[in-house]
Amino acid sequence: MWARVWAIFIKELKELSRDRMTFAMIIMIPLTQLMLFGYAINTDARHIPVGLVDLSQTSESRAVEQAIVATQSVDFVSRYASIKEAEVAITKGDISAVLYLPADMTRRLFSHPLYDHQQPYSALTRPIGQWIVDGSDTVIAASIRALRNLPLDEINGLATARTAPSFEVVQYYNPEQRTVVNTLPGLLAVILTMTMILFTSAAIVREQEQGNMEFLITTPVRPIELMIGKIAPYVIVGLVQVTIILSMGHWIFAVPIKGGLLSLFFASLLFIFASLALGLVISTIAKTQLQAMQMTIFILLPSILLSGFMFPYDAMPVAAQWIAEALPATHFMRMIRAIVLRDANILLLGKDALWLGLFTMAGLAIASLRFNKKLE
């Protein structure tokens, strides 16, 4: 019995060693997870991109800005002339928060009996500024809230600490800080990534395993026509999934859907096409359906971990952000959250929409060229 078991064991080892794709997945999947969790994943949000509306324009306001930057929690990447301009930037996703310093910031800073004996003591409770935060991301919002009690003793030269928070914090879009509000739109991106790529990654391989490739070769169908025909039915499947997830999330979990349906439909369509095109490219590379599934998992893991679904995008190292920018899920994650939670329209999200469109065209072209080589 043991001799027969040993023979089967040797046979499986030889088959595994000849299957280069499976052998590569055995090595790459644990290495990828190790690098992602050990290097790229960070739950401590640092260097968050924020804006500044400084109506004070004094040395004290600049000192406040430098004190905030010194914490390394945020980076001031843009300056705005008004709150309205900053709110548009938050809606677009260019910044995660904005610091508003009013024109009387200096008076608020020095409102202390040592400076102004006529000033009532209650003035000490007035904050010197206000943070306006995109509350849809609970991790980012928590990091900004940690700046409420920033010590200002070194700035105003007082030995007595303030009796109230230095800044007021206003959270837009998710004032109750419900995690599901941020999770559900991101879950839509993850589910579409998994299903769309999985459906089409085995499309060409399935034809080969079922013996239908000879029929396709003899037909007058061109490669690009075959690729488009392969993904067309799954576009409807993807839109059905979008409808189910958002409608059930709205009814069961009370997740608000603030954006327009046209923008929502267009953004979802772009991402569905991009994911299906990526699945077709995988299908032209894989030799078996098992390999296609393995490659799908290899794409799915970074899409979940690096797209901003589970961990803050701004907390990742620059190298990890470059990888994330190459994934369709990252761009759709930003778009769907902006549309559903911040009432953004597709025109404000033009960069991400353009990238998804270019990715789709490139994916279809690569899949068609690779299939064309097989025909030759």
Side-chain angles (χ1 to χ4, degrees):
M1 181 187 70
W2 293 112
R4 292 190 292 270
V5 171
W6 177 258
I8 298 297
F9 173 75
I10 297 299
K11 168 186 172 295
E12 291 297 322
L13 280 182
K14 289 183 178 181
E15 289 184 353
L16 183 61
S17 63
R18 294 168 185 170
D19 189 348
R20 296 182 179 179
M21 185 65 67
T22 301
F23 186 76
M25 290 296 103
I26 292 174
I27 303 299
M28 292 303 298
I29 287 180
L31 283 179
T32 302
Q33 293 191 52
L34 175 64
M35 295 301 294
L36 288 178
F37 281 97
Y39 175 70
I41 302 307
N42 185 8
T43 57
D44 184 17
R46 311 281 286 179
H47 301 287
I48 302 169
V50 300
L52 176 64
V53 177
D54 185 3
L55 301 185
S56 178
Q57 295 294 328
T58 60
S59 59
E60 287 78 17
S61 67
R62 289 187 288 271
V64 170
E65 177 185 353
Q66 293 172 3
I68 294 174
V69 172
T71 65
Q72 298 185 2
S73 296
V74 301
D75 289 331
F76 290 99
V77 297
S78 301
R79 296 175 180 270
Y80 304 97
S82 66
I83 290 292
K84 186 176 181 180
E85 293 181 9
E87 288 175 341
V88 173
I90 293 177
T91 302
K92 293 171 61 178
D94 295 339
I95 56 177
S96 299
V98 61
L99 174 62
Y100 171 70
L101 298 178
D104 64 341
M105 189 217 76
T106 302
R107 181 174 178 81
R108 297 187 182 196
L109 183 65
F110 291 103
S111 293
H112 192 278
L114 291 176
Y115 295 98
D116 189 355
H117 296 285
Q118 304 299 322
Q119 187 73 20
Y121 188 77
S122 61
L124 289 173
T125 63
R126 297 180 64 191
I128 67 168
Q130 183 184 69
W131 280 104
I132 300 176
V133 188
D134 176 12
S136 61
D137 192 325
T138 55
V139 176
I140 297 296
S143 299
I144 299 297
R145 286 200 306 272
L147 298 174
R148 293 174 68 245
N149 298 314
L150 182 71
L152 300 175
D153 299 345
E154 296 182 0
I155 299 174
N156 60 16
L158 299 177
T160 305
R162 294 176 61 87
T163 60
S166 302
F167 302 99
E168 181 185 8
V169 178
V170 178
Q171 297 181 172
Y172 283 8
Y173 315 120
N174 186 17
E176 299 176 353
Q177 283 295 281
R178 297 171 58 225
T179 304
V180 68
V181 172
N182 184 56
T183 303
L184 192 135
L187 184 63
L188 176 61
V190 172
I191 292 176
L192 286 179
T193 299
M194 179 173 59
T195 55
M196 295 296 100
I197 297 179
L198 185 62
F199 287 159
T200 54
S201 62
I204 304 300
V205 179
R206 189 185 306 112
E207 300 290 352
Q208 294 174 343
E209 292 184 349
Q210 293 178 352
N212 297 331
M213 185 59 65
E214 293 80 3
F215 296 104
L216 291 175
I217 293 176
T218 57
T219 62
V221 177
R222 291 182 297 179
I224 186 63
E225 296 171 348
L226 176 63
M227 298 301 134
I228 296 176
K230 282 287 186 183
I231 68 175
Y234 299 110
V235 174
I236 301 175
V237 174
L239 292 177
V240 170
Q241 289 183 329
V242 171
T243 303
I244 293 174
I245 295 171
L246 291 181
S247 59
M248 296 301 291
H250 179 67
W251 292 336
I252 297 177
F253 300 105
V255 175
I257 301 178
K258 300 181 178 180
L261 294 180
L262 184 60
S263 296
L264 184 61
F265 170 79
F266 190 68
S268 301
L269 204 59
L270 284 175
F271 180 64
I272 289 171
F273 275 120
S275 299
L276 292 176
L278 179 58
L280 283 179
V281 173
I282 293 175
S283 185
T284 60
I285 298 174
K287 303 300 182 183
T288 64
Q289 294 191 54
L290 177 60
Q291 288 184 0
M293 185 175 297
Q294 292 171 338
M295 295 180 69
T296 300
I297 296 174
F298 188 72
I299 297 295
L300 183 62
L301 284 175
S303 297
I304 295 176
L305 299 176
L306 299 182
S307 62
F309 171 64
M310 297 181 63
F311 307 98
Y313 174 87
D314 298 310
M316 300 177 190
V318 176
Q321 292 181 1
W322 290 346
I323 298 175
E325 289 296 323
L327 299 171
T330 303
H331 298 270
F332 182 66
M333 195 78 67
R334 288 197 289 255
M335 293 177 67
I336 194 64
R337 284 176 173 168
I339 294 172
V340 173
L341 304 179
R342 302 196 295 268
D343 194 18
N345 59 59
I346 198 67
L347 298 179
L348 292 176
L349 308 170
K351 293 182 180 179
D352 292 315
L354 178 62
W355 193 93
L356 289 178
L358 293 176
F359 186 93
T360 300
M361 290 187 290
L364 288 175
I366 293 173
S368 300
L369 291 175
R370 289 189 59 83
F371 184 73
N372 190 37
K373 290 180 181 180
K374 293 182 179 181
L375 287 176
E376 293 174 356

